[in-house]
Amino acid sequence: MEIFRTAAEMQGFAEARRLRGQKISLVPTMGYFHEGHLNLMRVAKKAGDCVVVSIYVNPTQFGPTEDFEAYPRDFERDCRLAEQVGVDVIFNPDNREMYPDGYQTYVEVLETTKNLCGLSRPQHFRGVTTVCAKLFNIVKPHTAIFGKKDFQQYTTIRRMVSDLNMDLEIVGMEITREADGLAMSSRNVYLSTEERKSALSLNLSLTLAQKMYLDGERKSAPIIEKVREMLSASPFTRIDYINLCDARTIKDVDEIEGETLLALAVWVGKTRLIDNMVFNENS
Ligand code: AMP
């Protein structure tokens, strides 16, 4: 497995592989791998001849009071795990490589970023779309794999790729969960034992919503109300948002009709967790 730290090296490698007719697949990450990341890499291996994983904690997607400095990092372990899955290249630039002096260009997707995490993290998606656009130019992938755990990010990246005629395919992967249902996240290491127990309420409340849906409920308000009750009853929780919205536009809906996203963001102690469920997928 090769490790590149400069855009020039990465671009040279990618161009050579393309000239050989190889298909490149990219998994963009911030590192500190768990099984969710490894599953994206496994899909990337099936999608292409050459798998590139980027490991970069991107400062432009963190707000001034967020956990950029504290974000967990373990580069050596990440490399070992990626190599075991059969990754060909790790791209691991530093901030000076990605945002050198004089840097002033950003990509913004206007509508899909307005709701949900866009409300509580105002500059977040501008950072995400900018770094992904840069990674696509640097790694030149035919396919990039994203997790639907960050559903709004996945929708926003698809919008950007379509709007800017970027020549690659975006693939979305289902959420990987722990055996007890907690969605895997690098941030789960912040949780104490008691907080981790309480964090199960996110998945449990999604399951409750699904049961209501299967029993015929289609109105957003009663579903959101039940989810709110269940989350509030759990200790250490503070709800950031609970929304039912159109999965493509990320605009709130009053009723579940087409593909509809139930999205949650909940603080458990000092850790902000997100989770979601999609109704009527691919409708
Ligand atoms: P991150 O390193 O947290 O920025 O995540 C890198 C990629 O892994 C993103 O596309 C995430 O959506 C995806 N990802 C993170 N956690 C999970 C999970 N539990 N299941 C599926 N994909 C995930």
Side-chain angles (χ1 to χ4, degrees), residues 54-79:
S54 61
I55 300 180
Y56 179 57
V57 184
N58 172 38
T60 63
Q61 70 190 66
F62 288 79
T65 61
E66 293 179 358
D67 58 346
F68 172 69
E69 294 294 341
Y71 196 83
R73 295 161 168 92
D74 191 342
F75 186 71
E76 304 301 320
R77 176 175 170 273
D78 285 350
C79 286

mmCIF file with all atom_site columns, all heavy atoms in Angstrom, residues 54-79:
data_model
loop_
_atom_site.group_PDB
_atom_site.id
_atom_site.type_symbol
_atom_site.label_atom_id
_atom_site.label_alt_id
_atom_site.label_comp_id
_atom_site.label_asym_id
_atom_site.label_entity_id
_atom_site.label_seq_id
_atom_site.pdbx_PDB_ins_code
_atom_site.Cartn_x
_atom_site.Cartn_y
_atom_site.Cartn_z
_atom_site.occupancy
_atom_site.B_iso_or_equiv
_atom_site.pdbx_formal_charge
_atom_site.auth_seq_id
_atom_site.auth_comp_id
_atom_site.auth_asym_id
_atom_site.auth_atom_id
_atom_site.pdbx_PDB_model_num
ATOM 1   N N   . SER A 1 54 ? -8.800  8.504  1.350  1.00 0.00 ? 54 SER A N   1
ATOM 2   C CA  . SER A 1 54 ? -8.190  9.732  1.863  1.00 0.00 ? 54 SER A CA  1
ATOM 3   C C   . SER A 1 54 ? -8.444  9.814  3.362  1.00 0.00 ? 54 SER A C   1
ATOM 4   O O   . SER A 1 54 ? -9.537  9.472  3.841  1.00 0.00 ? 54 SER A O   1
ATOM 5   C CB  . SER A 1 54 ? -8.723  10.970 1.136  1.00 0.00 ? 54 SER A CB  1
ATOM 6   O OG  . SER A 1 54 ? -10.113 11.072 1.323  1.00 0.00 ? 54 SER A OG  1
ATOM 7   N N   . ILE A 1 55 ? -7.409  10.205 4.088  1.00 0.00 ? 55 ILE A N   1
ATOM 8   C CA  . ILE A 1 55 ? -7.522  10.427 5.531  1.00 0.00 ? 55 ILE A CA  1
ATOM 9   C C   . ILE A 1 55 ? -7.126  11.878 5.761  1.00 0.00 ? 55 ILE A C   1
ATOM 10  O O   . ILE A 1 55 ? -5.965  12.247 5.604  1.00 0.00 ? 55 ILE A O   1
ATOM 11  C CB  . ILE A 1 55 ? -6.584  9.498  6.335  1.00 0.00 ? 55 ILE A CB  1
ATOM 12  C CG1 . ILE A 1 55 ? -6.916  8.026  6.057  1.00 0.00 ? 55 ILE A CG1 1
ATOM 13  C CG2 . ILE A 1 55 ? -6.684  9.810  7.835  1.00 0.00 ? 55 ILE A CG2 1
ATOM 14  C CD1 . ILE A 1 55 ? -6.037  7.025  6.818  1.00 0.00 ? 55 ILE A CD1 1
ATOM 15  N N   . TYR A 1 56 ? -8.122  12.688 6.078  1.00 0.00 ? 56 TYR A N   1
ATOM 16  C CA  . TYR A 1 56 ? -7.853  14.116 6.244  1.00 0.00 ? 56 TYR A CA  1
ATOM 17  C C   . TYR A 1 56 ? -8.931  14.724 7.130  1.00 0.00 ? 56 TYR A C   1
ATOM 18  O O   . TYR A 1 56 ? -10.108 14.717 6.761  1.00 0.00 ? 56 TYR A O   1
ATOM 19  C CB  . TYR A 1 56 ? -7.826  14.814 4.873  1.00 0.00 ? 56 TYR A CB  1
ATOM 20  C CG  . TYR A 1 56 ? -7.565  16.304 4.962  1.00 0.00 ? 56 TYR A CG  1
ATOM 21  C CD1 . TYR A 1 56 ? -6.418  16.783 5.597  1.00 0.00 ? 56 TYR A CD1 1
ATOM 22  C CD2 . TYR A 1 56 ? -8.456  17.221 4.421  1.00 0.00 ? 56 TYR A CD2 1
ATOM 23  C CE1 . TYR A 1 56 ? -6.179  18.145 5.699  1.00 0.00 ? 56 TYR A CE1 1
ATOM 24  C CE2 . TYR A 1 56 ? -8.227  18.589 4.511  1.00 0.00 ? 56 TYR A CE2 1
ATOM 25  C CZ  . TYR A 1 56 ? -7.082  19.032 5.153  1.00 0.00 ? 56 TYR A CZ  1
ATOM 26  O OH  . TYR A 1 56 ? -6.837  20.384 5.265  1.00 0.00 ? 56 TYR A OH  1
ATOM 27  N N   . VAL A 1 57 ? -8.545  15.206 8.293  1.00 0.00 ? 57 VAL A N   1
ATOM 28  C CA  . VAL A 1 57 ? -9.492  15.899 9.173  1.00 0.00 ? 57 VAL A CA  1
ATOM 29  C C   . VAL A 1 57 ? -9.534  17.337 8.662  1.00 0.00 ? 57 VAL A C   1
ATOM 30  O O   . VAL A 1 57 ? -8.609  18.123 8.880  1.00 0.00 ? 57 VAL A O   1
ATOM 31  C CB  . VAL A 1 57 ? -9.057  15.814 10.652 1.00 0.00 ? 57 VAL A CB  1
ATOM 32  C CG1 . VAL A 1 57 ? -10.121 16.457 11.541 1.00 0.00 ? 57 VAL A CG1 1
ATOM 33  C CG2 . VAL A 1 57 ? -8.843  14.360 11.069 1.00 0.00 ? 57 VAL A CG2 1
ATOM 34  N N   . ASN A 1 58 ? -10.607 17.633 7.951  1.00 0.00 ? 58 ASN A N   1
ATOM 35  C CA  . ASN A 1 58 ? -10.699 18.864 7.164  1.00 0.00 ? 58 ASN A CA  1
ATOM 36  C C   . ASN A 1 58 ? -11.130 20.051 8.033  1.00 0.00 ? 58 ASN A C   1
ATOM 37  O O   . ASN A 1 58 ? -12.294 20.116 8.447  1.00 0.00 ? 58 ASN A O   1
ATOM 38  C CB  . ASN A 1 58 ? -11.710 18.621 6.037  1.00 0.00 ? 58 ASN A CB  1
ATOM 39  C CG  . ASN A 1 58 ? -12.025 19.878 5.268  1.00 0.00 ? 58 ASN A CG  1
ATOM 40  O OD1 . ASN A 1 58 ? -11.147 20.705 5.031  1.00 0.00 ? 58 ASN A OD1 1
ATOM 41  N ND2 . ASN A 1 58 ? -13.287 20.016 4.882  1.00 0.00 ? 58 ASN A ND2 1
ATOM 42  N N   . PRO A 1 59 ? -10.247 21.009 8.302  1.00 0.00 ? 59 PRO A N   1
ATOM 43  C CA  . PRO A 1 59 ? -10.594 22.084 9.247  1.00 0.00 ? 59 PRO A CA  1
ATOM 44  C C   . PRO A 1 59 ? -11.762 22.950 8.777  1.00 0.00 ? 59 PRO A C   1
ATOM 45  O O   . PRO A 1 59 ? -12.502 23.475 9.613  1.00 0.00 ? 59 PRO A O   1
ATOM 46  C CB  . PRO A 1 59 ? -9.296  22.910 9.338  1.00 0.00 ? 59 PRO A CB  1
ATOM 47  C CG  . PRO A 1 59 ? -8.492  22.555 8.133  1.00 0.00 ? 59 PRO A CG  1
ATOM 48  C CD  . PRO A 1 59 ? -8.889  21.157 7.754  1.00 0.00 ? 59 PRO A CD  1
ATOM 49  N N   . THR A 1 60 ? -11.961 23.085 7.462  1.00 0.00 ? 60 THR A N   1
ATOM 50  C CA  . THR A 1 60 ? -12.995 24.024 6.994  1.00 0.00 ? 60 THR A CA  1
ATOM 51  C C   . THR A 1 60 ? -14.417 23.515 7.244  1.00 0.00 ? 60 THR A C   1
ATOM 52  O O   . THR A 1 60 ? -15.373 24.265 7.075  1.00 0.00 ? 60 THR A O   1
ATOM 53  C CB  . THR A 1 60 ? -12.833 24.370 5.491  1.00 0.00 ? 60 THR A CB  1
ATOM 54  O OG1 . THR A 1 60 ? -13.002 23.171 4.722  1.00 0.00 ? 60 THR A OG1 1
ATOM 55  C CG2 . THR A 1 60 ? -11.473 24.978 5.196  1.00 0.00 ? 60 THR A CG2 1
ATOM 56  N N   . GLN A 1 61 ? -14.562 22.247 7.634  1.00 0.00 ? 61 GLN A N   1
ATOM 57  C CA  . GLN A 1 61 ? -15.919 21.766 7.910  1.00 0.00 ? 61 GLN A CA  1
ATOM 58  C C   . GLN A 1 61 ? -16.243 21.764 9.404  1.00 0.00 ? 61 GLN A C   1
ATOM 59  O O   . GLN A 1 61 ? -17.317 21.321 9.802  1.00 0.00 ? 61 GLN A O   1
ATOM 60  C CB  . GLN A 1 61 ? -16.147 20.391 7.296  1.00 0.00 ? 61 GLN A CB  1
ATOM 61  C CG  . GLN A 1 61 ? -15.406 19.244 7.949  1.00 0.00 ? 61 GLN A CG  1
ATOM 62  C CD  . GLN A 1 61 ? -15.503 17.976 7.116  1.00 0.00 ? 61 GLN A CD  1
ATOM 63  O OE1 . GLN A 1 61 ? -14.991 17.879 6.023  1.00 0.00 ? 61 GLN A OE1 1
ATOM 64  N NE2 . GLN A 1 61 ? -16.214 16.981 7.632  1.00 0.00 ? 61 GLN A NE2 1
ATOM 65  N N   . PHE A 1 62 ? -15.321 22.255 10.225 1.00 0.00 ? 62 PHE A N   1
ATOM 66  C CA  . PHE A 1 62 ? -15.557 22.377 11.668 1.00 0.00 ? 62 PHE A CA  1
ATOM 67  C C   . PHE A 1 62 ? -15.812 23.837 12.014 1.00 0.00 ? 62 PHE A C   1
ATOM 68  O O   . PHE A 1 62 ? -15.107 24.729 11.519 1.00 0.00 ? 62 PHE A O   1
ATOM 69  C CB  . PHE A 1 62 ? -14.332 21.904 12.460 1.00 0.00 ? 62 PHE A CB  1
ATOM 70  C CG  . PHE A 1 62 ? -14.115 20.404 12.453 1.00 0.00 ? 62 PHE A CG  1
ATOM 71  C CD1 . PHE A 1 62 ? -13.540 19.785 11.354 1.00 0.00 ? 62 PHE A CD1 1
ATOM 72  C CD2 . PHE A 1 62 ? -14.493 19.629 13.536 1.00 0.00 ? 62 PHE A CD2 1
ATOM 73  C CE1 . PHE A 1 62 ? -13.334 18.406 11.339 1.00 0.00 ? 62 PHE A CE1 1
ATOM 74  C CE2 . PHE A 1 62 ? -14.294 18.252 13.531 1.00 0.00 ? 62 PHE A CE2 1
ATOM 75  C CZ  . PHE A 1 62 ? -13.716 17.642 12.426 1.00 0.00 ? 62 PHE A CZ  1
ATOM 76  N N   . GLY A 1 63 ? -16.792 24.075 12.888 1.00 0.00 ? 63 GLY A N   1
ATOM 77  C CA  . GLY A 1 63 ? -17.021 25.434 13.385 1.00 0.00 ? 63 GLY A CA  1
ATOM 78  C C   . GLY A 1 63 ? -15.982 25.781 14.444 1.00 0.00 ? 63 GLY A C   1
ATOM 79  O O   . GLY A 1 63 ? -15.293 24.888 14.956 1.00 0.00 ? 63 GLY A O   1
ATOM 80  N N   . PRO A 1 64 ? -15.900 27.077 14.809 1.00 0.00 ? 64 PRO A N   1
ATOM 81  C CA  . PRO A 1 64 ? -14.880 27.517 15.766 1.00 0.00 ? 64 PRO A CA  1
ATOM 82  C C   . PRO A 1 64 ? -14.992 26.862 17.146 1.00 0.00 ? 64 PRO A C   1
ATOM 83  O O   . PRO A 1 64 ? -14.000 26.708 17.830 1.00 0.00 ? 64 PRO A O   1
ATOM 84  C CB  . PRO A 1 64 ? -15.111 29.037 15.859 1.00 0.00 ? 64 PRO A CB  1
ATOM 85  C CG  . PRO A 1 64 ? -16.394 29.313 15.165 1.00 0.00 ? 64 PRO A CG  1
ATOM 86  C CD  . PRO A 1 64 ? -16.698 28.161 14.265 1.00 0.00 ? 64 PRO A CD  1
ATOM 87  N N   . THR A 1 65 ? -16.215 26.460 17.546 1.00 0.00 ? 65 THR A N   1
ATOM 88  C CA  . THR A 1 65 ? -16.359 25.843 18.881 1.00 0.00 ? 65 THR A CA  1
ATOM 89  C C   . THR A 1 65 ? -16.443 24.316 18.795 1.00 0.00 ? 65 THR A C   1
ATOM 90  O O   . THR A 1 65 ? -16.726 23.654 19.786 1.00 0.00 ? 65 THR A O   1
ATOM 91  C CB  . THR A 1 65 ? -17.635 26.358 19.568 1.00 0.00 ? 65 THR A CB  1
ATOM 92  O OG1 . THR A 1 65 ? -18.753 25.978 18.747 1.00 0.00 ? 65 THR A OG1 1
ATOM 93  C CG2 . THR A 1 65 ? -17.620 27.853 19.771 1.00 0.00 ? 65 THR A CG2 1
ATOM 94  N N   . GLU A 1 66 ? -16.199 23.760 17.618 1.00 0.00 ? 66 GLU A N   1
ATOM 95  C CA  . GLU A 1 66 ? -16.347 22.306 17.461 1.00 0.00 ? 66 GLU A CA  1
ATOM 96  C C   . GLU A 1 66 ? -15.038 21.563 17.754 1.00 0.00 ? 66 GLU A C   1
ATOM 97  O O   . GLU A 1 66 ? -14.034 22.164 18.138 1.00 0.00 ? 66 GLU A O   1
ATOM 98  C CB  . GLU A 1 66 ? -16.898 21.991 16.068 1.00 0.00 ? 66 GLU A CB  1
ATOM 99  C CG  . GLU A 1 66 ? -18.331 22.478 15.905 1.00 0.00 ? 66 GLU A CG  1
ATOM 100 C CD  . GLU A 1 66 ? -18.916 22.217 14.530 1.00 0.00 ? 66 GLU A CD  1
ATOM 101 O OE1 . GLU A 1 66 ? -18.205 21.688 13.646 1.00 0.00 ? 66 GLU A OE1 1
ATOM 102 O OE2 . GLU A 1 66 ? -20.083 22.567 14.335 1.00 0.00 ? 66 GLU A OE2 1
ATOM 103 N N   . ASP A 1 67 ? -15.085 20.213 17.525 1.00 0.00 ? 67 ASP A N   1
ATOM 104 C CA  . ASP A 1 67 ? -14.026 19.339 18.052 1.00 0.00 ? 67 ASP A CA  1
ATOM 105 C C   . ASP A 1 67 ? -12.882 19.057 17.080 1.00 0.00 ? 67 ASP A C   1
ATOM 106 O O   . ASP A 1 67 ? -12.315 17.965 17.102 1.00 0.00 ? 67 ASP A O   1
ATOM 107 C CB  . ASP A 1 67 ? -14.664 18.019 18.508 1.00 0.00 ? 67 ASP A CB  1
ATOM 108 C CG  . ASP A 1 67 ? -15.410 17.303 17.378 1.00 0.00 ? 67 ASP A CG  1
ATOM 109 O OD1 . ASP A 1 67 ? -15.667 17.942 16.335 1.00 0.00 ? 67 ASP A OD1 1
ATOM 110 O OD2 . ASP A 1 67 ? -15.723 16.117 17.529 1.00 0.00 ? 67 ASP A OD2 1
ATOM 111 N N   . PHE A 1 68 ? -12.506 20.047 16.251 1.00 0.00 ? 68 PHE A N   1
ATOM 112 C CA  . PHE A 1 68 ? -11.422 19.805 15.277 1.00 0.00 ? 68 PHE A CA  1
ATOM 113 C C   . PHE A 1 68 ? -10.141 19.315 15.948 1.00 0.00 ? 68 PHE A C   1
ATOM 114 O O   . PHE A 1 68 ? -9.551  18.319 15.537 1.00 0.00 ? 68 PHE A O   1
ATOM 115 C CB  . PHE A 1 68 ? -11.140 21.068 14.447 1.00 0.00 ? 68 PHE A CB  1
ATOM 116 C CG  . PHE A 1 68 ? -9.925  20.928 13.580 1.00 0.00 ? 68 PHE A CG  1
ATOM 117 C CD1 . PHE A 1 68 ? -9.927  20.061 12.492 1.00 0.00 ? 68 PHE A CD1 1
ATOM 118 C CD2 . PHE A 1 68 ? -8.758  21.637 13.849 1.00 0.00 ? 68 PHE A CD2 1
ATOM 119 C CE1 . PHE A 1 68 ? -8.803  19.891 11.693 1.00 0.00 ? 68 PHE A CE1 1
ATOM 120 C CE2 . PHE A 1 68 ? -7.624  21.473 13.058 1.00 0.00 ? 68 PHE A CE2 1
ATOM 121 C CZ  . PHE A 1 68 ? -7.647  20.602 11.984 1.00 0.00 ? 68 PHE A CZ  1
ATOM 122 N N   . GLU A 1 69 ? -9.720  19.995 17.018 1.00 0.00 ? 69 GLU A N   1
ATOM 123 C CA  . GLU A 1 69 ? -8.461  19.607 17.689 1.00 0.00 ? 69 GLU A CA  1
ATOM 124 C C   . GLU A 1 69 ? -8.604  18.245 18.365 1.00 0.00 ? 69 GLU A C   1
ATOM 125 O O   . GLU A 1 69 ? -7.694  17.425 18.324 1.00 0.00 ? 69 GLU A O   1
ATOM 126 C CB  . GLU A 1 69 ? -8.073  20.655 18.758 1.00 0.00 ? 69 GLU A CB  1
ATOM 127 C CG  . GLU A 1 69 ? -7.708  22.027 18.200 1.00 0.00 ? 69 GLU A CG  1
ATOM 128 C CD  . GLU A 1 69 ? -6.427  22.015 17.366 1.00 0.00 ? 69 GLU A CD  1
ATOM 129 O OE1 . GLU A 1 69 ? -5.648  21.057 17.506 1.00 0.00 ? 69 GLU A OE1 1
ATOM 130 O OE2 . GLU A 1 69 ? -6.248  22.960 16.567 1.00 0.00 ? 69 GLU A OE2 1
ATOM 131 N N   . ALA A 1 70 ? -9.764  18.041 19.007 1.00 0.00 ? 70 ALA A N   1
ATOM 132 C CA  . ALA A 1 70 ? -9.964  16.816 19.807 1.00 0.00 ? 70 ALA A CA  1
ATOM 133 C C   . ALA A 1 70 ? -10.322 15.607 18.947 1.00 0.00 ? 70 ALA A C   1
ATOM 134 O O   . ALA A 1 70 ? -10.319 14.475 19.440 1.00 0.00 ? 70 ALA A O   1
ATOM 135 C CB  . ALA A 1 70 ? -11.070 17.060 20.825 1.00 0.00 ? 70 ALA A CB  1
ATOM 136 N N   . TYR A 1 71 ? -10.646 15.825 17.664 1.00 0.00 ? 71 TYR A N   1
ATOM 137 C CA  . TYR A 1 71 ? -11.137 14.716 16.832 1.00 0.00 ? 71 TYR A CA  1
ATOM 138 C C   . TYR A 1 71 ? -10.144 13.550 16.904 1.00 0.00 ? 71 TYR A C   1
ATOM 139 O O   . TYR A 1 71 ? -8.934  13.757 16.753 1.00 0.00 ? 71 TYR A O   1
ATOM 140 C CB  . TYR A 1 71 ? -11.328 15.187 15.382 1.00 0.00 ? 71 TYR A CB  1
ATOM 141 C CG  . TYR A 1 71 ? -12.174 14.217 14.588 1.00 0.00 ? 71 TYR A CG  1
ATOM 142 C CD1 . TYR A 1 71 ? -13.554 14.276 14.649 1.00 0.00 ? 71 TYR A CD1 1
ATOM 143 C CD2 . TYR A 1 71 ? -11.572 13.218 13.829 1.00 0.00 ? 71 TYR A CD2 1
ATOM 144 C CE1 . TYR A 1 71 ? -14.330 13.361 13.951 1.00 0.00 ? 71 TYR A CE1 1
ATOM 145 C CE2 . TYR A 1 71 ? -12.343 12.299 13.132 1.00 0.00 ? 71 TYR A CE2 1
ATOM 146 C CZ  . TYR A 1 71 ? -13.724 12.385 13.194 1.00 0.00 ? 71 TYR A CZ  1
ATOM 147 O OH  . TYR A 1 71 ? -14.499 11.469 12.519 1.00 0.00 ? 71 TYR A OH  1
ATOM 148 N N   . PRO A 1 72 ? -10.628 12.310 17.168 1.00 0.00 ? 72 PRO A N   1
ATOM 149 C CA  . PRO A 1 72 ? -9.675  11.207 17.367 1.00 0.00 ? 72 PRO A CA  1
ATOM 150 C C   . PRO A 1 72 ? -8.871  10.879 16.105 1.00 0.00 ? 72 PRO A C   1
ATOM 151 O O   . PRO A 1 72 ? -9.403  10.907 14.996 1.00 0.00 ? 72 PRO A O   1
ATOM 152 C CB  . PRO A 1 72 ? -10.581 10.027 17.758 1.00 0.00 ? 72 PRO A CB  1
ATOM 153 C CG  . PRO A 1 72 ? -11.932 10.379 17.279 1.00 0.00 ? 72 PRO A CG  1
ATOM 154 C CD  . PRO A 1 72 ? -12.032 11.872 17.289 1.00 0.00 ? 72 PRO A CD  1
ATOM 155 N N   . ARG A 1 73 ? -7.600  10.597 16.313 1.00 0.00 ? 73 ARG A N   1
ATOM 156 C CA  . ARG A 1 73 ? -6.707  10.287 15.189 1.00 0.00 ? 73 ARG A CA  1
ATOM 157 C C   . ARG A 1 73 ? -5.817  9.116  15.568 1.00 0.00 ? 73 ARG A C   1
ATOM 158 O O   . ARG A 1 73 ? -5.320  9.057  16.689 1.00 0.00 ? 73 ARG A O   1
ATOM 159 C CB  . ARG A 1 73 ? -5.830  11.509 14.865 1.00 0.00 ? 73 ARG A CB  1
ATOM 160 C CG  . ARG A 1 73 ? -6.587  12.744 14.340 1.00 0.00 ? 73 ARG A CG  1
ATOM 161 C CD  . ARG A 1 73 ? -5.711  13.982 14.499 1.00 0.00 ? 73 ARG A CD  1
ATOM 162 N NE  . ARG A 1 73 ? -6.207  15.169 13.783 1.00 0.00 ? 73 ARG A NE  1
ATOM 163 C CZ  . ARG A 1 73 ? -7.013  16.096 14.311 1.00 0.00 ? 73 ARG A CZ  1
ATOM 164 N NH1 . ARG A 1 73 ? -7.462  15.974 15.539 1.00 0.00 ? 73 ARG A NH1 1
ATOM 165 N NH2 . ARG A 1 73 ? -7.374  17.156 13.597 1.00 0.00 ? 73 ARG A NH2 1
ATOM 166 N N   . ASP A 1 74 ? -5.615  8.180  14.638 1.00 0.00 ? 74 ASP A N   1
ATOM 167 C CA  . ASP A 1 74 ? -4.636  7.095  14.839 1.00 0.00 ? 74 ASP A CA  1
ATOM 168 C C   . ASP A 1 74 ? -4.203  6.602  13.456 1.00 0.00 ? 74 ASP A C   1
ATOM 169 O O   . ASP A 1 74 ? -4.706  5.596  12.939 1.00 0.00 ? 74 ASP A O   1
ATOM 170 C CB  . ASP A 1 74 ? -5.241  5.959  15.677 1.00 0.00 ? 74 ASP A CB  1
ATOM 171 C CG  . ASP A 1 74 ? -4.180  4.954  16.114 1.00 0.00 ? 74 ASP A CG  1
ATOM 172 O OD1 . ASP A 1 74 ? -3.084  4.931  15.500 1.00 0.00 ? 74 ASP A OD1 1
ATOM 173 O OD2 . ASP A 1 74 ? -4.440  4.200  17.063 1.00 0.00 ? 74 ASP A OD2 1
ATOM 174 N N   . PHE A 1 75 ? -3.262  7.320  12.879 1.00 0.00 ? 75 PHE A N   1
ATOM 175 C CA  . PHE A 1 75 ? -2.882  7.073  11.487 1.00 0.00 ? 75 PHE A CA  1
ATOM 176 C C   . PHE A 1 75 ? -2.288  5.674  11.288 1.00 0.00 ? 75 PHE A C   1
ATOM 177 O O   . PHE A 1 75 ? -2.614  4.995  10.315 1.00 0.00 ? 75 PHE A O   1
ATOM 178 C CB  . PHE A 1 75 ? -1.903  8.160  11.026 1.00 0.00 ? 75 PHE A CB  1
ATOM 179 C CG  . PHE A 1 75 ? -1.564  8.067  9.567  1.00 0.00 ? 75 PHE A CG  1
ATOM 180 C CD1 . PHE A 1 75 ? -2.506  8.383  8.605  1.00 0.00 ? 75 PHE A CD1 1
ATOM 181 C CD2 . PHE A 1 75 ? -0.311  7.648  9.160  1.00 0.00 ? 75 PHE A CD2 1
ATOM 182 C CE1 . PHE A 1 75 ? -2.215  8.284  7.250  1.00 0.00 ? 75 PHE A CE1 1
ATOM 183 C CE2 . PHE A 1 75 ? 0.000   7.548  7.808  1.00 0.00 ? 75 PHE A CE2 1
ATOM 184 C CZ  . PHE A 1 75 ? -0.955  7.869  6.856  1.00 0.00 ? 75 PHE A CZ  1
ATOM 185 N N   . GLU A 1 76 ? -1.440  5.231  12.236 1.00 0.00 ? 76 GLU A N   1
ATOM 186 C CA  . GLU A 1 76 ? -0.776  3.922  12.072 1.00 0.00 ? 76 GLU A CA  1
ATOM 187 C C   . GLU A 1 76 ? -1.821  2.795  12.040 1.00 0.00 ? 76 GLU A C   1
ATOM 188 O O   . GLU A 1 76 ? -1.783  1.921  11.179 1.00 0.00 ? 76 GLU A O   1
ATOM 189 C CB  . GLU A 1 76 ? 0.195   3.649  13.236 1.00 0.00 ? 76 GLU A CB  1
ATOM 190 C CG  . GLU A 1 76 ? 1.257   4.718  13.442 1.00 0.00 ? 76 GLU A CG  1
ATOM 191 C CD  . GLU A 1 76 ? 2.123   4.903  12.206 1.00 0.00 ? 76 GLU A CD  1
ATOM 192 O OE1 . GLU A 1 76 ? 2.462   3.884  11.585 1.00 0.00 ? 76 GLU A OE1 1
ATOM 193 O OE2 . GLU A 1 76 ? 2.428   6.063  11.854 1.00 0.00 ? 76 GLU A OE2 1
ATOM 194 N N   . ARG A 1 77 ? -2.738  2.861  13.008 1.00 0.00 ? 77 ARG A N   1
ATOM 195 C CA  . ARG A 1 77 ? -3.777  1.826  13.068 1.00 0.00 ? 77 ARG A CA  1
ATOM 196 C C   . ARG A 1 77 ? -4.641  1.863  11.800 1.00 0.00 ? 77 ARG A C   1
ATOM 197 O O   . ARG A 1 77 ? -4.963  0.826  11.223 1.00 0.00 ? 77 ARG A O   1
ATOM 198 C CB  . ARG A 1 77 ? -4.639  2.040  14.322 1.00 0.00 ? 77 ARG A CB  1
ATOM 199 C CG  . ARG A 1 77 ? -5.808  1.085  14.447 1.00 0.00 ? 77 ARG A CG  1
ATOM 200 C CD  . ARG A 1 77 ? -6.549  1.289  15.776 1.00 0.00 ? 77 ARG A CD  1
ATOM 201 N NE  . ARG A 1 77 ? -7.799  0.553  15.804 1.00 0.00 ? 77 ARG A NE  1
ATOM 202 C CZ  . ARG A 1 77 ? -8.963  1.012  15.338 1.00 0.00 ? 77 ARG A CZ  1
ATOM 203 N NH1 . ARG A 1 77 ? -9.027  2.226  14.788 1.00 0.00 ? 77 ARG A NH1 1
ATOM 204 N NH2 . ARG A 1 77 ? -10.062 0.277  15.409 1.00 0.00 ? 77 ARG A NH2 1
ATOM 205 N N   . ASP A 1 78 ? -5.016  3.069  11.369 1.00 0.00 ? 78 ASP A N   1
ATOM 206 C CA  . ASP A 1 78 ? -5.828  3.213  10.148 1.00 0.00 ? 78 ASP A CA  1
ATOM 207 C C   . ASP A 1 78 ? -5.128  2.549  8.959  1.00 0.00 ? 78 ASP A C   1
ATOM 208 O O   . ASP A 1 78 ? -5.759  1.855  8.161  1.00 0.00 ? 78 ASP A O   1
ATOM 209 C CB  . ASP A 1 78 ? -6.070  4.699  9.830  1.00 0.00 ? 78 ASP A CB  1
ATOM 210 C CG  . ASP A 1 78 ? -7.101  5.330  10.765 1.00 0.00 ? 78 ASP A CG  1
ATOM 211 O OD1 . ASP A 1 78 ? -7.761  4.584  11.519 1.00 0.00 ? 78 ASP A OD1 1
ATOM 212 O OD2 . ASP A 1 78 ? -7.249  6.564  10.730 1.00 0.00 ? 78 ASP A OD2 1
ATOM 213 N N   . CYS A 1 79 ? -3.816  2.762  8.838  1.00 0.00 ? 79 CYS A N   1
ATOM 214 C CA  . CYS A 1 79 ? -3.078  2.184  7.704  1.00 0.00 ? 79 CYS A CA  1
ATOM 215 C C   . CYS A 1 79 ? -3.113  0.665  7.771  1.00 0.00 ? 79 CYS A C   1
ATOM 216 O O   . CYS A 1 79 ? -3.320  -0.002 6.752  1.00 0.00 ? 79 CYS A O   1
ATOM 217 C CB  . CYS A 1 79 ? -1.629  2.681  7.690  1.00 0.00 ? 79 CYS A CB  1
ATOM 218 S SG  . CYS A 1 79 ? -1.510  4.397  7.155  1.00 0.00 ? 79 CYS A SG  1
#
